[in-house]
Each structure stands twice: as structure tokens, then as C-alpha cells.
Amino acid sequence: MTPDHHSQNDILFARAQHSTPGGVNSPVRAFRSVGGTPRFITRAEGPYFWDADGKRYIDYIGSWGPAIVGHAHPQVVKAVQDAAARGLSFGAPTEGEIEIAEELCRLVPSLEQVRLVSSGTEATMSALRLARGATGRDKIVKFEGCYHGHADSLLVKAGSGLLTFGNPTSAGVPEDFVKHTLVLDYNNVPQLEDAFASMGDSIACVIVEAVAGNMNLIRATPEFLQRMRELCTEYGAVLIFDEVMSGFRVGLGGAQELYGIVPDLTALGKVIGGGLPVAAFGGRADLMEKMAPVGPVYQAGTLSGNPVAVAAGMTTLKLVQEPGFYDRLAAQTNKLADGLTAAAQEAGIPFCADAVGGMFGMYFSSHVPASYGQMMAGDKARFNSFFHGMLEEGVYFAPAMFEAGFVSAAHDDAVIAETVEAARRVFARLV
Ligand SMILES: *Cc1c(COP(=O)(O)O)cnc(C)c1O
């Protein structure tokens, strides 16, 4: 089918605009960054999904991470069906919530206790409140390009001067709400040291994506995280790793295991719900015991620990513990990154790729970026042409240059090879 004409996707997108702002329930889905019509998905299985025209795509988003065992994995579907048949939600505790909490604490050693919530946004928002409640301090530090959900105090970009407080990135966020948020450069150790030297005693917490996946894929340097850990300890600030994306994605123990750094609190989401709404925050028991009902920091949720969602999450967590799961996942992801890089090279296109566990980044530049600024300097026009070329070929990458990609256990050698072949054709056509 030629691009977007007489497509059911066009018809649905036009219809969706009337009842929903921009036709989508989360902005990136609208394809604003790449242009064109978003695909409306009708079903998914393994590494594939199908759009409203019946066209099949190899999917490298996996619902932005959760579909790590492949779409509609039979064991996950069965667990959800069984749980649903027993009732959808009770608003009272269940044994399943204990099981998943125990499993998370066992798999991620820094977690002594966890609290379940329904989205990553809630997890980070609650972790911040806890850090502030526990320290009695207001200021928080975040890094440019890291995304931590859409809580008011996190929708902020760097202020005009070094070490000045941030400006809201969304209408509707009062400046007063972000005046306690300091936004620093990712991987900039001296700047972090300056921030602590000048106001360390009033910093409640530092929140960071240790492997950043919301400014394409960017790895933290080990020194950056190590120094962050030391400074937080020295000044009594809470170190929060936002592993909503990297948790159970870059490896079984998350980015903290990869770097060998123990945060005080961790936010989880995406994979731990296996495609249904489960997220969590947790960490040191002495901090977590500051949460209601035992402590003074309030937090709650009607659907928190929902039994159907927990069944999907728990089954997914079982599947990723099969022997060799992450080794295979990383091997497939590396094959993809290497294959794409070789294909671009053949066509003489400046391109590189990086991969950590089951996450990858593609950069239309000659080196892997280390900061938000470097990432944004990539060739967006070329990325967009590549994106649409691949879409036509039946390969669905994230519809924006500043997003990471995700491989699942269902992406076998044939799927990766088909992707690389398609990329070879698309790179050859790029100018
Ligand atoms: C996706 C994401 C969030 C937000 O999670 P939602 O479930 O979309 O609210 C927070 N932090 C990181 C690192 C994420 O990738």
C-alpha cells in the first residue's frame, strides 16, 4: 500500500482526533516528530504486530519495554485469564502482591521493601515525596534528558545559568512547583560536585536514569554514578535510580547491578507489569517505613497491586529468570546494533548504534552521544527518512530520534536478519 492513502490508519486517525486530543492517549504515539499517520494496532504476537490495514511489522518498541518475552506470550496470557476469572479488583490485599514484592526484593538486592503502584509516573513521584519526607529537605536534582514521568516537579528543563533552578517544560506547571528542582547535565561530574558544594545540605535527593532511555540510549559513565553515590552519602541525600525502563531490561538486577552501585530508592515499571499497569518503588526499609500507614508520607492507589496486572507481571518475572535469558537477549540486541551499523557503513551513512541488554540506541552521527546536547545534534531529517523507509518495509522503530529501542526474546536470528536486510535497502535510498 502506498503511504497512507485509503489506509484504515488514516480513517481511524481522523476519527480519533474528534474524541481525543491529537487522536492519541500519549503524545509520542501521534508521530508528530516524524510526520505521517500513526499505525493503529489490531493485534500482536511474538516480535510482530499488525495494523488496521492488516500490514505486519517487526516491533522494536514492545510497548516501550514491557513486552520483553514477546507479545501475547501464552503463559502470560493464561495467567491473566486465570486471574481475571477470579475477579478483577478487590481493593483489599492479596497473596499475589506479597509474592511479587518478595520476588522484586530477591532479584534487586537494594530493595528491602517495595510499594506497588500503577505507573512509572506514580513510582517516581512517590519516591520523591518519600525522599523529601525522610530528609525534611525540598531540593531535588535531576539531569537534562532523563524522563521520570509527568509529575509536576519533574517537568522541568535547565534554568538560564549554571546551578540556577529550572523552568517548567509544560504549561500548567507553576514556576513555584519547579523552583526546588535543579537540572544538571548528564555525565557532568564537576557540575554535580559544584551543586553539592554549594547546596548539598538542602538537597533531598538525586534522581537519575543510570542507563538513560528517554534521550535515545545514553549510558552513564561509571565515574558519574560513583561520584553521585559518594556525594549523596556524604550530604545525607537520597539516591534514587529510576529503573522504570532499565529494570529487568538491561539485565536481571537492572542498571544498579550492571554498575555495582546501590541506590537508596529505586523506581520500577514497564517490564514488571508484563504489559499491564504495574510499577513500584522501593529500597531501604528504614526509608520505606516512612510511608503510610506506618509513617507520615502519604501515598495510595485504588488499583495498586491489581490482581490481574500482578499476575501478568509475576509471570513475566518468572520467564526472564529462565537460564541464559539475558545473555540471549543481549546477543540478539547486539546483532541488531552491529547489523544496522554495517548496513549504514556500506551505504556511507554516518551512523552508529549502542546496546545494553535488551535496549538499543541508533544515532545518525559519527559517535555515540554522552549527553542530551550531543544526542540532539544527531541528523533528525535523516532519522525521519530512515524511520519511514523502515516502516514501509514492515519494521517499526520508535517514532522519534530521541527514543530508545527494545528487543524481545521473540526476536530470533531470522527476525534480526530480516530487519538488517530491510535497513540495507533503506540506507541505500537515503540521501
Ligand atoms: C516510562 C518511564 C517513566 C514513566 O512511566 P509511566 O508508566 O509511563 O508513567 C518514568 N521513568 C522512566 C525512566 C521511564 O522510562
Side-chain angles (χ1 to χ4, degrees), residues 54-260:
K55 182 177 166 86
R56 191 196 80 177
Y57 299 86
I58 298 173
D59 173 27
Y60 285 105
I61 299 191
S63 185
W64 301 97
I68 196 164
V69 296
H71 286 292
H73 190 287
Q75 276 168 258
V76 179
V77 172
K78 173 81 167 50
V80 167
Q81 287 169 335
D82 290 351
R86 290 190 296 270
L88 298 180
S89 177
F90 314 123
T94 60
E95 189 175 354
E97 292 162 81
I98 311 176
E99 283 170 3
I100 195 167
E102 288 173 348
E103 195 74 344
L104 292 171
C105 292
R106 190 174 67 77
L107 294 172
V108 184
S110 74
L111 301 180
E112 294 174 349
Q113 291 194 354
V114 295
R115 166 75 44 94
L116 299 183
V117 293
S118 301
S119 70
T121 293
E122 278 178 88
T124 57
M125 179 184 78
S126 308
L128 285 187
R129 187 179 305 138
L130 173 55
R132 284 169 157 161
T135 57
R137 302 172 181 176
D138 290 339
K139 290 183 174 40
I140 62 173
V141 172
K142 83 174 283 287
F143 300 95
E144 192 168 31
C146 286
Y147 177 68
H148 304 295
H150 61 93
D152 283 335
S153 62
L154 291 166
L155 291 180
V156 50
K157 64 174 185 294
S160 49
L162 198 67
L163 302 191
T164 57
F165 285 82
N167 299 314
T169 52
S170 168
V173 176
E175 280 187 24
D176 272 1
F177 285 26
V178 299
K179 73 179 184 201
H180 298 300
T181 307
L182 184 62
V183 183
L184 303 179
D185 287 340
Y186 199 69
N187 279 334
N188 187 334
V189 175
Q191 202 188 52
L192 184 66
E193 288 175 336
D194 285 353
F196 271 93
S198 65
M199 60 189 95
D201 292 334
S202 49
I203 294 173
C205 64
V206 176
I207 185 166
V208 67
E209 286 183 83
V211 175
N214 289 286
M215 45 175 163
N216 210 321
L217 169 68
I218 297 185
R219 299 167 187 252
T221 63
E223 311 79 70
F224 179 56
L225 296 178
Q226 191 57 49
R227 198 67 190 112
M228 195 182 297
R229 175 66 278 180
E230 288 164 7
L231 288 164
C232 284
T233 303
E234 185 182 335
Y235 286 89
V238 175
L239 177 58
I240 305 173
F241 270 18
D242 180 355
E243 299 228 42
V244 169
M245 184 179 283
S246 58
F248 301 97
R249 167 57 61 182
V250 300
L252 194 56
Q256 52 196 270
E257 179 183 62
L258 222 58
Y259 285 90

Side-chain angles (χ1 to χ4, degrees), residues 45-49 57-62 67-71 249 328-329 331-333 335-336 358 360 395-397 405-417 419:
E45 194 183 318
Y48 305 115
F49 60 38
Y57 299 86
I58 298 173
D59 173 27
Y60 285 105
I61 299 191
I68 196 164
V69 296
H71 286 292
R249 167 57 61 182
R328 279 197 306 276
L329 186 69
Q332 295 309 95
T333 312
K335 273 180 212 165
L336 176 71
F360 64 92
V395 179
Y396 193 101
F397 285 122
F406 304 94
V407 168
S408 84
H411 290 74
D412 61 16
D413 282 349
V415 169
I416 304 287
T419 306

Side-chain angles (χ1 to χ4, degrees), residues 375-400:
M375 185 277 299
M376 289 304 278
D379 190 336
K380 180 166 182 260
R382 202 171 251 165
F383 168 81
N384 287 356
S385 309
F386 176 72
F387 168 82
H388 279 292
M390 292 301 282
L391 200 61
E392 237 170 272
E393 293 271 357
V395 179
Y396 193 101
F397 285 122

